[in-house]
Amino acid sequence: MEREVAAASPVFGETWANALYLCYDWPFDGESAAADVRAEGAPPVLVVANTGDPTTPYEGARRMAAELGEGVGVLLTVRDEGHGSFPHNRCAARAVHLYLVHGTTPEAGAVCP
């Protein structure tokens, strides 16, 4: 497991394999099916994702925004490395601020450098 995580994330993999994934093989009761997140008719939901996030892959955020529904899920792509872009990336921080304070989202397809 450690080698797989380190290969997927050369910067953080070794640390995270030892610290964050301690419960990886724990047994649990429940279903593994993803929850239905469709939200037709809801106000826009801002989804922010780094393209180089080793913990929460960008593809997952892209799917989440799409599954929320057209006109609801608004994806802001942040071309950056690391886990989390708020408040570290100025462009993303501005977009999140505008969303939380004024309820406005970036245009569809918006990208932060």
Side-chain angles (χ1 to χ4, degrees):
M1 164 90 165
E2 287 180 39
R3 281 188 229 141
E4 292 172 15
V5 175
S9 176
V11 176
F12 301 108
E14 184 177 337
T15 300
W16 287 351
N18 291 322
L20 296 179
Y21 298 118
L22 293 174
C23 59
Y24 179 76
D25 290 327
W26 284 8
F28 64 93
D29 293 330
E31 297 181 23
S32 62
D36 179 6
V37 297
R38 289 176 296 180
E40 288 90 2
V45 174
L46 179 61
V47 179
V48 182
N50 286 355
T51 55
D53 188 328
T55 302
T56 52
Y58 175 77
E59 178 60 25
R62 192 189 65 71
R63 281 195 313 256
M64 170 64 84
E67 288 181 21
L68 284 167
E70 189 167 337
V72 178
V74 179
L75 177 63
L76 174 61
T77 299
V78 181
R79 298 208 184 281
D80 206 350
E81 299 293 320
H83 181 58
S85 52
F86 179 84
H88 314 294
N89 181 288
R90 292 182 106 173
C91 172
R94 177 170 160 65
V96 169
H97 173 81
L98 289 172
Y99 175 70
L100 293 175
V101 174
H102 302 288
T104 59
T105 58
E107 295 292 320
V111 177
C112 285

XYZ file of all heavy atoms in Angstrom:
835
model
N 0.818 -1.191 0.000
C 0.000 0.000 0.000
C 0.863 1.255 0.000
O 0.592 2.191 -0.734
C -0.929 -0.040 1.216
C -1.546 1.249 1.565
S -3.083 1.456 0.717
C -3.746 2.783 1.641
N 1.923 1.299 0.845
C 2.760 2.486 0.921
C 3.403 2.801 -0.423
O 3.466 3.965 -0.818
C 3.845 2.311 1.979
C 3.328 2.378 3.386
C 4.433 2.197 4.398
O 5.547 2.726 4.177
O 4.192 1.527 5.408
N 3.870 1.777 -1.121
C 4.509 2.000 -2.422
C 3.520 2.575 -3.433
O 3.863 3.447 -4.213
C 5.118 0.703 -2.947
C 6.437 0.396 -2.284
C 7.094 -0.788 -2.971
N 7.474 -1.674 -1.886
C 7.398 -2.976 -1.890
N 6.987 -3.600 -2.965
N 7.750 -3.678 -0.849
N 2.288 2.076 -3.419
C 1.267 2.570 -4.351
C 0.953 4.038 -4.085
O 0.858 4.836 -5.022
C -0.018 1.753 -4.210
C 0.117 0.329 -4.682
C -1.121 -0.494 -4.340
O -2.160 0.101 -4.016
O -1.030 -1.719 -4.401
N 0.809 4.403 -2.820
C 0.492 5.782 -2.474
C 1.675 6.691 -2.797
O 1.510 7.772 -3.351
C 0.083 5.902 -0.986
C -0.123 7.351 -0.591
C -1.178 5.097 -0.721
N 2.891 6.253 -2.484
C 4.080 7.054 -2.782
C 4.251 7.241 -4.286
O 4.637 8.317 -4.746
C 5.320 6.405 -2.181
N 3.937 6.221 -5.072
C 4.039 6.343 -6.528
C 2.991 7.315 -7.069
O 3.269 8.089 -7.984
C 3.876 4.972 -7.184
N 1.797 7.302 -6.490
C 0.728 8.196 -6.940
C 0.993 9.632 -6.518
O 0.594 10.565 -7.203
C -0.622 7.727 -6.390
N 1.665 9.824 -5.396
C 1.949 11.169 -4.887
C 3.376 11.211 -4.346
O 3.604 11.021 -3.155
C 0.961 11.532 -3.780
O 1.293 12.794 -3.239
N 4.351 11.460 -5.222
C 5.745 11.468 -4.782
C 6.032 12.476 -3.660
O 6.900 12.256 -2.835
C 6.516 11.841 -6.050
C 5.623 11.459 -7.171
C 4.226 11.670 -6.665
N 5.293 13.566 -3.609
C 5.552 14.586 -2.599
C 4.988 14.192 -1.237
O 5.658 14.291 -0.218
C 4.963 15.949 -3.036
C 5.131 16.996 -1.948
C 5.624 16.409 -4.327
N 3.737 13.746 -1.189
C 3.068 13.484 0.081
C 2.797 12.010 0.362
O 2.403 11.661 1.461
C 1.720 14.215 0.118
C 1.841 15.697 -0.032
C 1.438 16.320 -1.198
C 2.362 16.462 0.986
C 1.545 17.681 -1.343
C 2.479 17.835 0.860
C 2.073 18.446 -0.316
N 2.960 11.161 -0.616
C 2.539 9.773 -0.507
C 3.055 9.017 0.683
O 2.300 8.356 1.391
N 4.340 9.092 0.940
C 4.912 8.317 2.042
C 4.324 8.751 3.382
O 3.931 7.927 4.207
C 6.430 8.479 2.062
C 7.092 7.623 3.125
C 8.600 7.727 3.082
O 9.163 8.086 2.028
O 9.218 7.434 4.115
N 4.222 10.042 3.588
C 3.657 10.556 4.838
C 2.199 10.155 4.990
O 1.775 9.703 6.047
C 3.781 12.087 4.884
O 5.154 12.427 4.798
C 3.195 12.650 6.165
N 1.436 10.337 3.925
C 0.010 10.025 4.011
C -0.252 8.538 4.145
O -1.188 8.135 4.820
C -0.729 10.604 2.818
C -0.854 12.085 2.900
C -0.541 12.882 3.971
C -1.311 12.951 1.894
N -0.779 14.194 3.677
C -1.249 14.272 2.410
C -1.765 12.760 0.604
C -1.636 15.368 1.674
C -2.149 13.872 -0.130
C -2.084 15.153 0.399
N 0.566 7.725 3.515
C 0.370 6.282 3.621
C 0.537 5.835 5.068
O -0.153 4.940 5.538
C 1.347 5.537 2.719
N 1.427 6.483 5.783
C 1.672 6.110 7.179
C 0.700 6.769 8.146
O 0.457 6.249 9.216
C 3.103 6.480 7.573
C 4.106 5.616 6.868
O 3.880 4.431 6.677
N 5.206 6.205 6.439
N 0.145 7.906 7.791
C -0.676 8.647 8.739
C -2.168 8.626 8.425
O -2.980 8.339 9.287
C -0.194 10.098 8.799
N -2.539 8.914 7.202
C -3.949 9.087 6.880
C -4.675 7.803 6.518
O -5.894 7.759 6.594
C -4.114 10.088 5.735
C -3.663 11.505 6.054
C -3.858 12.397 4.836
C -4.443 12.063 7.226
N -3.958 6.810 6.108
C -4.618 5.599 5.630
C -4.530 4.440 6.624
O -4.578 3.288 6.246
C -4.038 5.190 4.272
C -4.267 6.246 3.218
C -3.214 6.878 2.592
C -5.552 6.640 2.882
C -3.437 7.863 1.642
C -5.787 7.623 1.936
C -4.724 8.225 1.316
O -4.949 9.199 0.384
N -4.435 4.757 7.900
C -4.336 3.713 8.917
C -5.582 2.835 8.963
O -5.512 1.671 9.333
C -4.093 4.341 10.293
C -2.737 5.029 10.465
C -2.697 5.724 11.820
C -1.598 4.038 10.342
N -6.724 3.381 8.587
C -7.976 2.625 8.670
C -8.378 2.052 7.314
O -9.511 1.599 7.143
C -9.095 3.506 9.229
S -9.397 4.975 8.243
N -7.481 2.016 6.375
C -7.785 1.583 5.009
C -8.473 0.220 4.952
O -9.432 0.042 4.222
C -6.488 1.559 4.193
C -6.667 1.108 2.775
C -7.224 1.962 1.832
C -6.292 -0.170 2.374
C -7.402 1.558 0.519
C -6.467 -0.574 1.069
C -7.012 0.287 0.145
O -7.183 -0.108 -1.150
N -8.017 -0.740 5.710
C -8.555 -2.099 5.643
C -9.540 -2.427 6.764
O -9.903 -3.574 6.950
C -7.406 -3.126 5.675
C -6.609 -3.103 4.393
O -7.200 -2.837 3.328
O -5.395 -3.350 4.443
N -9.976 -1.449 7.516
C -10.919 -1.717 8.589
C -12.233 -2.221 8.008
O -12.748 -1.668 7.035
C -11.199 -0.463 9.383
C -10.106 -0.072 10.332
C -8.875 -0.625 10.444
C -10.163 0.974 11.290
N -8.152 0.015 11.402
C -8.924 1.004 11.945
C -11.127 1.887 11.653
C -8.630 1.915 12.953
C -10.836 2.791 12.654
C -9.609 2.799 13.295
N -12.821 -3.232 8.619
C -14.133 -3.692 8.140
C -15.216 -2.678 8.544
O -15.076 -1.969 9.537
C -14.328 -5.015 8.882
C -13.495 -4.882 10.109
C -12.321 -4.016 9.741
N -16.245 -2.591 7.738
C -17.346 -1.683 8.060
C -18.631 -2.246 7.492
O -18.627 -2.996 6.532
C -17.095 -0.276 7.516
C -17.041 -0.218 6.010
C -18.170 0.056 5.272
C -15.842 -0.455 5.347
C -18.123 0.092 3.881
C -15.789 -0.410 3.965
C -16.922 -0.138 3.228
N -19.721 -1.888 8.137
C -21.029 -2.266 7.646
C -21.560 -1.130 6.791
O -21.292 0.039 7.053
C -21.996 -2.506 8.807
C -21.584 -3.719 9.622
O -20.993 -4.646 9.045
O -21.844 -3.721 10.841
N -22.305 -1.456 5.793
C -22.900 -0.425 4.962
C -22.707 -0.718 3.496
O -22.096 -1.718 3.113
N -23.234 0.163 2.697
C -23.151 -0.008 1.257
C -22.005 0.803 0.694
O -21.631 1.837 1.248
C -24.457 0.462 0.616
C -25.652 -0.359 1.039
C -26.926 0.108 0.375
O -26.848 0.735 -0.699
O -27.987 -0.152 0.931
N -21.476 0.348 -0.417
C -20.403 1.083 -1.055
C -20.917 1.927 -2.215
O -20.149 2.591 -2.877
C -19.329 0.117 -1.560
O -19.876 -0.745 -2.538
N -22.212 1.907 -2.437
C -22.786 2.683 -3.536
C -22.699 4.177 -3.228
O -22.861 4.605 -2.094
C -24.239 2.288 -3.760
N -22.427 4.963 -4.242
C -22.368 6.414 -4.077
C -23.773 6.972 -3.870
O -24.734 6.501 -4.468
C -21.717 7.050 -5.305
N -23.848 7.984 -3.053
C -25.135 8.624 -2.780
C -25.598 9.424 -3.997
O -24.789 9.917 -4.777
C -24.995 9.543 -1.578
N -26.892 9.553 -4.125
C -27.477 10.369 -5.182
C -27.353 11.831 -4.749
O -27.886 12.228 -3.710
C -28.947 9.991 -5.362
C -29.640 10.807 -6.439
O -28.969 11.601 -7.132
O -30.858 10.651 -6.591
N -26.632 12.633 -5.529
C -26.427 14.026 -5.161
C -27.146 14.990 -6.099
O -26.926 16.196 -6.037
C -24.921 14.382 -5.095
C -24.221 13.589 -4.011
C -24.259 14.188 -6.441
N -28.013 14.449 -6.944
C -28.749 15.338 -7.858
C -29.489 16.403 -7.051
O -30.049 16.119 -6.005
C -29.747 14.555 -8.691
C -29.090 13.671 -9.736
C -30.105 12.874 -10.450
N -30.723 11.958 -9.453
C -31.676 11.096 -9.720
N -32.182 11.033 -10.932
N -32.151 10.306 -8.799
N -29.472 17.611 -7.587
C -30.109 18.713 -6.865
C -30.825 19.640 -7.844
O -30.698 20.854 -7.767
C -29.065 19.467 -6.053
N -31.576 19.045 -8.769
C -32.289 19.860 -9.758
C -33.108 20.936 -9.061
O -33.779 20.681 -8.069
C -33.224 18.996 -10.622
C -32.496 18.105 -11.608
C -32.158 16.744 -11.026
O -32.534 16.472 -9.862
O -31.506 15.961 -11.712
N -33.038 22.154 -9.578
C -33.805 23.263 -9.031
C -33.139 23.989 -7.877
O -33.633 25.018 -7.435
N -32.029 23.447 -7.382
C -31.330 24.101 -6.275
C -30.520 25.290 -6.794
O -30.195 25.354 -7.976
C -30.394 23.106 -5.591
N -30.206 26.224 -5.914
C -29.298 27.310 -6.316
C -27.938 26.714 -6.692
O -27.623 25.592 -6.291
C -29.173 28.168 -5.055
C -30.275 27.750 -4.162
C -30.634 26.345 -4.535
N -27.127 27.442 -7.416
C -25.819 26.921 -7.813
C -24.961 26.504 -6.621
O -24.976 27.149 -5.576
C -25.176 28.102 -8.549
C -26.325 28.915 -9.037
C -27.384 28.774 -7.977
N -24.235 25.416 -6.804
C -23.306 24.893 -5.802
C -21.911 24.977 -6.400
O -21.640 24.379 -7.444
C -23.643 23.431 -5.432
C -22.594 22.860 -4.499
C -25.032 23.335 -4.828
N -21.022 25.717 -5.749
C -19.654 25.870 -6.230
C -18.811 24.681 -5.792
O -18.749 24.358 -4.605
C -19.047 27.170 -5.697
C -17.607 27.458 -6.108
C -17.488 27.583 -7.631
C -17.099 28.719 -5.414
N -18.176 24.031 -6.755
C -17.262 22.922 -6.500
C -15.884 23.393 -6.955
O -15.703 23.750 -8.112
C -17.682 21.659 -7.281
C -16.711 20.518 -7.027
C -19.109 21.256 -6.925
N -14.918 23.416 -6.028
C -13.572 23.901 -6.322
C -12.610 22.729 -6.255
O -12.642 21.956 -5.294
C -13.145 24.983 -5.299
C -11.762 25.523 -5.617
C -14.163 26.111 -5.248
N -11.748 22.594 -7.275
C -10.832 21.451 -7.297
C -9.498 21.803 -7.934
O -9.451 22.444 -8.978
C -11.461 20.296 -8.066
N -8.422 21.358 -7.275
C -7.074 21.473 -7.839
C -6.841 20.335 -8.820
O -7.202 19.189 -8.542
C -6.014 21.353 -6.751
C -5.900 22.570 -5.881
O -6.555 23.576 -6.123
N -5.066 22.491 -4.869
N -6.188 20.639 -9.926
C -5.868 19.592 -10.898
C -4.772 18.667 -10.378
O -4.660 17.541 -10.832
C -5.432 20.199 -12.240
O -4.334 21.096 -12.017
C -6.575 20.940 -12.910
N -3.986 19.126 -9.422
C -2.893 18.314 -8.887
C -3.080 17.949 -7.435
O -2.121 17.904 -6.673
N -4.311 17.673 -7.019
C -4.591 17.294 -5.633
C -4.369 15.799 -5.469
O -5.070 14.998 -6.086
C -6.031 17.663 -5.279
C -6.341 17.486 -3.802
O -5.763 16.580 -3.167
O -7.173 18.244 -3.294
N -3.406 15.390 -4.638
C -3.111 13.970 -4.490
C -4.122 13.214 -3.628
O -4.140 11.991 -3.623
C -1.734 13.959 -3.820
C -1.712 15.236 -3.050
C -2.498 16.227 -3.866
N -4.960 13.916 -2.896
C -5.905 13.264 -1.991
C -7.306 13.188 -2.573
O -7.971 12.167 -2.462
C -5.942 14.021 -0.638
O -4.632 14.040 -0.102
C -6.877 13.337 0.325
N -7.780 14.267 -3.138
C -9.113 14.275 -3.742
C -8.947 14.588 -5.230
O -8.871 15.751 -5.608
C -10.031 15.315 -3.060
O -9.371 16.585 -3.041
C -10.368 14.904 -1.643
N -8.852 13.562 -6.049
C -8.563 13.754 -7.474
C -9.568 14.672 -8.175
O -10.758 14.671 -7.882
C -8.633 12.347 -8.042
C -8.377 11.451 -6.878
C -8.979 12.159 -5.697
N -9.055 15.437 -9.103
C -9.847 16.389 -9.867
C -11.049 15.717 -10.536
O -12.138 16.277 -10.569
C -8.958 17.059 -10.922
C -9.701 17.977 -11.833
C -10.077 19.245 -11.411
C -10.048 17.588 -13.117
C -10.785 20.091 -12.241
C -10.758 18.427 -13.959
C -11.121 19.677 -13.510
O -11.823 20.514 -14.330
N -10.859 14.533 -11.045
C -11.946 13.821 -11.741
C -13.167 13.654 -10.837
O -14.309 13.735 -11.292
C -11.454 12.465 -12.246
C -12.508 11.637 -12.943
C -13.106 12.310 -14.181
O -12.448 13.173 -14.790
O -14.252 11.967 -14.531
N -12.948 13.428 -9.552
C -14.064 13.295 -8.623
C -14.864 14.577 -8.496
O -16.094 14.551 -8.435
N -14.194 15.708 -8.467
C -14.886 16.996 -8.397
C -15.652 17.267 -9.690
O -16.771 17.785 -9.656
C -13.886 18.115 -8.125
N -15.035 16.907 -10.803
C -15.710 17.096 -12.094
C -17.006 16.290 -12.142
O -18.057 16.788 -12.517
C -14.782 16.695 -13.240
C -15.292 17.121 -14.602
C -14.459 16.531 -15.720
N -14.556 15.077 -15.772
C -15.637 14.401 -16.160
N -16.737 15.032 -16.515
N -15.637 13.089 -16.182
N -16.931 15.050 -11.670
C -18.139 14.197 -11.637
C -19.173 14.740 -10.656
O -20.369 14.716 -10.933
C -17.771 12.761 -11.280
C -17.202 11.978 -12.438
C -17.180 10.489 -12.161
N -16.647 10.167 -10.846
C -15.437 9.677 -10.620
N -14.631 9.427 -11.615
N -15.027 9.421 -9.405
N -18.720 15.224 -9.502
C -19.650 15.766 -8.507
C -20.422 16.947 -9.086
O -21.649 17.016 -8.959
C -18.893 16.220 -7.253
C -19.752 17.017 -6.282
S -21.112 16.077 -5.568
C -20.260 15.284 -4.241
N -19.722 17.866 -9.724
C -20.393 19.028 -10.313
C -21.406 18.579 -11.364
O -22.522 19.099 -11.418
C -19.368 19.985 -10.914
N -21.037 17.607 -12.176
C -21.949 17.114 -13.216
C -23.165 16.427 -12.593
O -24.295 16.611 -13.046
C -21.218 16.160 -14.147
N -22.949 15.635 -11.551
C -24.053 14.897 -10.930
C -25.006 15.813 -10.168
O -26.174 15.483 -9.994
C -23.508 13.801 -10.020
C -22.908 12.660 -10.827
C -22.381 11.541 -9.953
O -22.799 11.433 -8.781
O -21.543 10.768 -10.457
N -24.540 16.958 -9.695
C -25.435 17.905 -9.034
C -26.503 18.382 -10.003
O -27.620 18.676 -9.602
C -24.657 19.095 -8.477
C -23.881 18.815 -7.203
C -22.898 19.940 -6.919
C -24.830 18.620 -6.029
N -26.159 18.432 -11.275
C -27.139 18.787 -12.296
C -26.746 20.046 -13.045
O -26.022 20.901 -12.531
N -27.248 20.142 -14.248
C -26.959 21.300 -15.090
C -27.503 22.563 -14.443
O -28.647 22.603 -13.988
C -27.561 21.119 -16.472
C -27.100 22.174 -17.438
C -27.425 21.836 -18.869
O -27.610 20.644 -19.181
O -27.498 22.777 -19.667
N -26.674 23.591 -14.387
C -27.074 24.842 -13.763
C -26.954 24.836 -12.253
O -27.153 25.860 -11.610
N -26.659 23.680 -11.663
C -26.501 23.595 -10.205
C -25.018 23.449 -9.866
O -24.452 24.292 -9.183
C -27.322 22.438 -9.594
C -27.083 22.353 -8.093
C -28.797 22.617 -9.892
N -24.393 22.383 -10.324
C -22.977 22.162 -10.045
C -22.108 23.050 -10.917
O -22.137 22.946 -12.137
N -21.357 23.945 -10.287
C -20.462 24.849 -11.007
C -19.039 24.520 -10.589
O -18.653 24.730 -9.438
C -20.781 26.330 -10.684
C -19.826 27.253 -11.426
C -22.232 26.644 -11.023
N -18.247 23.994 -11.524
C -16.881 23.583 -11.231
C -15.910 24.722 -11.499
O -15.900 25.293 -12.589
C -16.500 22.371 -12.086
C -15.063 21.874 -11.933
C -14.786 21.391 -10.509
C -14.785 20.761 -12.935
N -15.102 25.040 -10.507
C -13.994 25.968 -10.671
C -12.721 25.124 -10.672
O -12.378 24.500 -9.665
C -13.940 26.995 -9.542
C -12.724 27.923 -9.557
C -12.684 28.756 -10.838
C -12.711 28.805 -8.320
N -12.046 25.082 -11.798
C -10.806 24.328 -11.931
C -9.641 25.209 -11.495
O -9.490 26.326 -11.982
C -10.601 23.897 -13.398
O -11.692 23.055 -13.772
C -9.294 23.155 -13.585
N -8.834 24.690 -10.572
C -7.657 25.418 -10.097
C -6.426 24.647 -10.562
O -6.217 23.510 -10.145
C -7.671 25.563 -8.556
C -6.458 26.353 -8.090
C -8.959 26.216 -8.094
N -5.646 25.251 -11.430
C -4.434 24.603 -11.936
C -3.321 24.797 -10.911
O -2.523 25.717 -10.995
C -4.050 25.176 -13.289
C -5.111 24.929 -14.340
C -4.542 24.841 -15.730
N -5.601 24.693 -16.717
C -6.226 23.567 -16.988
N -5.927 22.479 -16.332
N -7.168 23.525 -17.898
N -3.341 23.908 -9.914
C -2.402 24.027 -8.800
C -2.163 22.641 -8.215
O -2.914 21.706 -8.488
C -2.983 24.963 -7.737
C -1.918 25.648 -6.901
O -0.725 25.280 -6.999
O -2.277 26.556 -6.132
N -1.132 22.528 -7.423
C -0.779 21.282 -6.750
C -1.210 21.362 -5.288
O -1.408 22.443 -4.750
C 0.738 21.053 -6.816
C 1.288 20.927 -8.213
C 0.806 19.680 -8.925
O 0.729 18.618 -8.297
O 0.501 19.783 -10.122
N -1.332 20.221 -4.650
C -1.622 20.166 -3.233
C -3.086 19.937 -2.941
O -3.930 19.961 -3.826
N -3.354 19.691 -1.671
C -4.714 19.394 -1.224
C -5.368 20.675 -0.731
O -4.964 21.256 0.262
C -4.679 18.349 -0.118
C -6.032 17.965 0.378
N -7.004 17.453 -0.442
C -6.582 18.027 1.604
C -8.088 17.208 0.255
N -7.858 17.549 1.502
N -6.373 21.116 -1.447
C -7.100 22.321 -1.067
C -6.529 23.565 -1.717
O -5.320 23.730 -1.799
N -7.404 24.420 -2.189
C -6.948 25.643 -2.841
C -7.406 26.894 -2.105
O -6.951 27.987 -2.401
C -7.447 25.682 -4.280
O -8.829 25.465 -4.328
N -8.309 26.753 -1.165
C -8.796 27.896 -0.396
C -8.152 27.872 0.971
O -8.192 26.837 1.640
C -10.319 27.836 -0.244
C -10.879 28.969 0.566
C -11.140 30.187 -0.036
C -11.119 28.826 1.912
C -11.649 31.248 0.702
C -11.622 29.869 2.659
C -11.887 31.084 2.042
N -7.530 28.914 1.412
C -7.366 30.238 0.847
C -6.029 30.429 0.131
O -5.644 31.551 -0.147
C -7.432 31.129 2.081
C -6.715 30.325 3.130
C -7.104 28.893 2.826
N -5.330 29.355 -0.179
C -3.964 29.435 -0.710
C -3.884 30.042 -2.104
O -2.943 30.764 -2.405
C -3.318 28.055 -0.703
C -3.528 27.331 0.595
N -2.968 27.765 1.775
C -4.264 26.254 0.915
C -3.341 26.973 2.757
N -4.136 26.049 2.263
N -4.811 29.737 -2.959
C -4.811 30.261 -4.319
C -5.688 31.514 -4.331
O -6.875 31.450 -4.007
C -5.336 29.195 -5.287
C -5.350 29.659 -6.708
O -6.178 30.493 -7.091
N -4.446 29.128 -7.515
N -5.123 32.649 -4.713
C -5.855 33.927 -4.648
C -7.098 33.924 -5.519
O -8.154 34.423 -5.128
C -4.950 35.074 -5.049
C -3.856 35.320 -4.040
C -3.030 36.484 -4.472
N -3.417 37.584 -3.592
C -2.820 38.738 -3.578
N -1.849 38.990 -4.403
N -3.204 39.675 -2.735
N -6.985 33.366 -6.701
C -8.126 33.319 -7.626
C -9.262 32.487 -7.026
O -10.424 32.894 -7.029
C -7.654 32.749 -8.957
S -8.960 32.398 -10.141
N -8.910 31.320 -6.494
C -9.924 30.456 -5.881
C -10.516 31.112 -4.640
O -11.732 31.048 -4.411
C -9.327 29.097 -5.537
N -9.677 31.751 -3.833
C -10.160 32.413 -2.620
C -11.160 33.514 -2.982
O -12.192 33.668 -2.318
C -8.989 32.997 -1.832
N -10.887 34.257 -4.039
C -11.818 35.309 -4.473
C -13.145 34.695 -4.912
O -14.219 35.177 -4.537
C -11.197 36.105 -5.613
C -12.105 37.167 -6.182
C -11.344 38.090 -7.146
N -12.179 38.824 -8.053
C -13.064 39.747 -7.746
N -13.290 40.035 -6.486
N -13.757 40.384 -8.664
N -13.084 33.608 -5.682
C -14.310 32.963 -6.156
C -15.128 32.413 -4.988
O -16.354 32.560 -4.965
C -13.966 31.847 -7.137
N -14.473 31.799 -4.013
C -15.176 31.259 -2.850
C -15.789 32.400 -2.038
O -16.933 32.315 -1.589
C -14.231 30.398 -1.984
C -14.872 30.049 -0.644
C -13.840 29.132 -2.739
N -15.057 33.476 -1.859
C -15.570 34.638 -1.132
C -16.838 35.186 -1.815
O -17.856 35.416 -1.158
C -14.498 35.725 -1.052
C -14.979 37.005 -0.467
N -15.088 37.213 0.892
C -15.408 38.143 -1.058
C -15.564 38.421 1.110
N -15.756 39.018 -0.059
N -16.772 35.377 -3.125
C -17.932 35.901 -3.857
C -19.128 34.953 -3.758
O -20.273 35.393 -3.650
C -17.566 36.155 -5.319
C -16.620 37.336 -5.553
C -16.165 37.368 -7.009
C -17.291 38.640 -5.158
N -18.844 33.661 -3.758
C -19.921 32.676 -3.650
C -20.560 32.715 -2.256
O -21.784 32.754 -2.123
C -19.382 31.281 -3.953
C -20.395 30.190 -3.753
C -21.487 30.061 -4.609
C -20.276 29.290 -2.708
C -22.432 29.057 -4.424
C -21.209 28.293 -2.521
C -22.285 28.174 -3.376
O -23.218 27.185 -3.191
N -19.726 32.708 -1.223
C -20.262 32.666 0.140
C -20.941 33.969 0.556
O -21.947 33.945 1.268
C -19.145 32.318 1.129
C -18.564 30.912 1.004
C -17.392 30.735 1.966
C -19.628 29.848 1.248
N -20.409 35.094 0.126
C -20.958 36.385 0.544
C -22.116 36.837 -0.344
O -23.122 37.348 0.143
C -19.846 37.459 0.583
C -20.413 38.842 0.874
C -18.800 37.090 1.634
N -21.980 36.624 -1.659
C -22.969 37.153 -2.592
C -23.771 36.085 -3.341
O -24.706 36.414 -4.072
C -22.287 38.068 -3.621
C -21.564 39.217 -2.987
N -22.216 40.282 -2.401
C -20.243 39.451 -2.827
C -21.331 41.130 -1.920
N -20.121 40.651 -2.162
N -23.372 34.827 -3.200
C -24.081 33.759 -3.887
C -23.796 33.681 -5.381
O -24.509 33.009 -6.115
N -22.731 34.354 -5.815
C -22.388 34.324 -7.248
C -21.311 33.280 -7.510
O -20.432 33.051 -6.682
C -21.895 35.697 -7.726
O -20.749 36.085 -6.959
C -22.964 36.750 -7.585
N -21.412 32.657 -8.662
C -20.424 31.646 -9.053
C -19.670 32.125 -10.278
O -20.168 32.968 -11.036
C -21.103 30.300 -9.391
O -22.043 30.520 -10.446
C -21.798 29.711 -8.183
N -18.488 31.571 -10.506
C -17.758 31.888 -11.730
C -18.523 31.376 -12.950
O -19.425 30.541 -12.827
C -16.439 31.143 -11.582
C -16.390 30.638 -10.195
C -17.772 30.640 -9.659
N -18.149 31.864 -14.111
C -18.735 31.368 -15.357
C -18.403 29.885 -15.519
O -17.370 29.411 -15.020
C -18.160 32.133 -16.556
C -18.519 33.609 -16.572
C -20.003 33.833 -16.805
O -20.604 33.119 -17.623
O -20.562 34.732 -16.159
N -19.254 29.158 -16.199
C -18.999 27.743 -16.477
C -17.653 27.620 -17.196
O -17.343 28.403 -18.092
C -20.110 27.160 -17.342
N -16.857 26.671 -16.778
C -15.554 26.446 -17.397
C -14.448 27.342 -16.881
O -13.341 27.335 -17.418
N -14.711 28.095 -15.810
C -13.697 29.009 -15.263
C -12.499 28.233 -14.749
O -12.632 27.140 -14.183
C -14.292 29.860 -14.150
N -11.320 28.810 -14.949
C -10.064 28.182 -14.526
C -9.219 29.218 -13.795
O -9.067 30.348 -14.257
C -9.276 27.656 -15.748
C -7.935 27.075 -15.308
C -10.088 26.603 -16.503
N -8.687 28.831 -12.661
C -7.738 29.679 -11.931
C -6.334 29.175 -12.231
O -6.081 27.971 -12.194
C -7.966 29.583 -10.421
S -9.409 30.464 -9.814
N -5.414 30.123 -12.505
C -4.023 29.701 -12.765
C -3.340 29.262 -11.495
O -3.751 29.551 -10.415
C -3.382 30.964 -13.332
C -4.242 32.105 -12.884
C -5.600 31.549 -12.650
